[in-house]
Amino acid sequence: MKRLHKNLGLSRRAFVGVFLSGSILSKAVAQAQKRRIAWVTSKTSTADASRVEPFRAALLAKGWTEGKNIDILWSFAGDKNDDIDAAIEEAISQKPDVIVAETTGIIVKLKRLKEKSAIVSLSAGSLEGADLIDSINKPGRNVTGNQMLSADLIFKRAELIKELLPNATAMVFLEPLTPAALMQRSYVDTAALAAERYGLKFKKLSVRNPDEIEELYRMLSADRSQVVLVPSNPLTVNNAKSIVNSSIRHQIISIYEIIAFVKVGGLISYGPNRDKFPLVAADYVDRILHGVSPGDLPIYQSSDYEMALNMNTARELGVQIPHNILARALEIID
């Protein structure tokens, strides 16, 4: 050490000063290189843990460690009195490199705010239907990620109605009219086509708040040959038990998108396996942080569908579940 400062013509004090300055500069450079990710969902932090932990673990496996080379802002609207706007504003205020957004409605809000960061969908309904991408194979803009809905899935649900209730006359689509639960026109149009293919009338009934759900089922109870399709979004998921209770109370069969409804008494769910969604989101975030444009990453659509049944509810509704449906069920609650 002594020889080094002598050769450089530096005093010990000057050398220490240069050394410390270099250390501070290195830390500043490292801090500047740290990437920012924002996670925006409608859920509470507790309810979202089943997606947060796999996402975090997948990033870690790819070399991204919180506090070291990435910072993640976890913005849960459920922890902010369900104020999705507050969650979005909190996220974009951090100027993230990538935003992981739960729903189509959240992404639409981000786009209206002219957000230019890369956006990765966690579980959006239909990105294409909301005109957020150019195409499934080449999104072409700053949005990519998971998409839950496909024409194939909507037609399969219509087919399931006829299998479950051969004398069904109508498919009723429950459309939540809330900012975070945007229902795209293409979704509704495809559902109408699916109903027509299977000889069902198509009805669309809109709800703006939880109080309208009971009235909707009471109105439908005059004709039990109608089957309700209940989509998965903040309004329906947060009021799953109320929807299920209304369905049973008024003896109306409902088909749900996710197993969470069946676990609180819903008759049947049929939808994509969501376990891969956080992993796909992490993979896309990793690629984007390594320089890949989100517009070049094809939309992920799961072809792995799963069905769950609640036999207690089937008995309450007086529904005889056909053997071919029982054989396809991944989970049966009895």
Side-chain angles (χ1 to χ4, degrees):
M1 176 80 75
K2 187 173 182 179
R3 184 180 302 165
L4 181 59
H5 3 115
K6 189 172 183 181
N7 291 341
L8 291 174
L10 296 173
S11 67
R12 178 180 292 274
R13 181 176 295 176
F15 177 79
V16 171
V18 170
F19 179 79
L20 290 175
S21 297
S23 297
I24 293 169
L25 181 61
S26 296
K27 287 182 180 178
V29 170
Q31 194 70 22
Q33 291 174 340
K34 194 185 292 186
R35 312 303 294 274
R36 290 193 182 98
I37 302 168
W39 173 281
V40 187
T41 74
S42 61
K43 298 180 181 295
T44 64
S45 52
T46 301
D48 218 12
S50 61
R51 296 187 297 191
V52 165
E53 293 312 318
F55 176 78
R56 182 185 272 135
L59 283 179
L60 184 62
K62 293 178 181 296
W64 298 103
T65 305
E66 280 186 83
K68 185 177 179 182
N69 54 4
I70 56 165
D71 281 329
I72 305 179
L73 170 69
W74 304 101
S75 193
F76 304 100
D79 292 343
K80 305 178 191 303
N81 297 315
D82 295 325
D83 190 341
I84 199 69
D85 291 325
I88 290 171
E89 287 171 14
E90 179 183 45
I92 62 178
S93 70
Q94 300 300 309
K95 297 182 170 39
D97 298 292
V98 186
I99 299 174
V100 179
E102 178 188 25
T103 65
T104 308
I106 292 174
I107 298 173
V108 167
K109 281 177 170 285
L110 286 166
K111 296 295 286 182
R112 284 176 181 164
L113 293 170
K114 302 189 184 306
E115 180 56 41
K116 299 191 184 310
S117 300
I119 299 171
V120 174
S121 159
L122 183 59
S123 56
S126 175
L127 298 168
E128 196 172 25
D131 194 29
L132 292 166
I133 58 173
D134 293 339
S135 68
I136 296 296
N137 292 328
K138 193 168 180 62
R141 309 183 204 175
N142 68 326
V143 177
T144 187
N146 296 292
Q147 176 171 290
M148 290 204 315
L149 293 177
S150 65
D152 178 57
L153 179 57
I154 294 171
F155 275 85
K156 283 182 180 294
R157 286 184 182 139
E159 181 182 18
L160 182 60
I161 288 175
K162 293 301 288 186
E163 288 184 89
L164 192 63
L165 193 67
N167 64 344
T169 61
M171 179 169 79
V172 180
F173 181 73
L174 190 154
E175 181 185 42
L177 296 180
T178 63
L182 181 72
M183 289 290 108
Q184 298 82 32
R185 170 53 52 189
S186 63
Y187 187 151
V188 177
D189 289 346
T190 303
L193 289 172
E196 183 180 3
R197 174 183 290 184
Y198 289 96
L200 298 164
K201 294 178 183 177
F202 179 74
K203 297 180 182 179
K204 182 185 70 172
L205 296 179
S206 302
V207 291
R208 291 173 176 78
N209 58 67
D211 296 334
E212 296 178 355
I213 293 170
E214 170 67 15
E215 176 59 24
L216 182 147
Y217 276 96
R218 187 197 65 75
M219 180 179 67
L220 292 173
S221 64
D223 182 0
R224 290 192 59 208
S225 67
Q226 303 176 91
V227 177
V228 179
L229 286 186
V230 181
S232 170
N233 53 65
L235 188 148
T236 59
V237 172
N238 292 340
N239 296 280
K241 187 61 177 174
S242 295
I243 293 173
V244 165
N245 287 345
S246 293
S247 175
I248 295 172
R249 184 181 302 114
H250 295 289
Q251 296 287 287
I252 296 294
I253 292 175
S254 296
I255 296 178
Y256 307 93
E257 283 187 356
I258 59 176
I259 195 172
F261 288 90
V262 177
K263 289 183 175 179
V264 295
L267 174 64
I268 185 169
S269 65
Y270 186 66
N273 182 334
R274 295 184 171 201
D275 292 345
K276 288 184 180 178
F277 286 2
L279 308 182
V280 171
D283 180 52
Y284 278 25
V285 166
D286 172 63
R287 294 202 219 177
I288 290 167
L289 293 180
H290 279 102
V292 179
S293 168
D296 292 332
L297 293 171
I299 301 302
Y300 175 79
Q301 290 182 291
S302 175
S303 58
D304 180 14
Y305 302 139
E306 58 185 19
M307 183 187 298
L309 289 165
N310 190 310
M311 299 306 292
N312 293 319
T313 302
R315 285 187 284 271
E316 285 192 67
L317 292 172
V319 176
Q320 184 70 38
I321 305 295
H323 291 297
N324 64 327
I325 291 181
L326 283 170
R328 301 197 319 258
L330 181 70
E331 183 167 344
I332 297 176
I333 298 172
D334 198 347

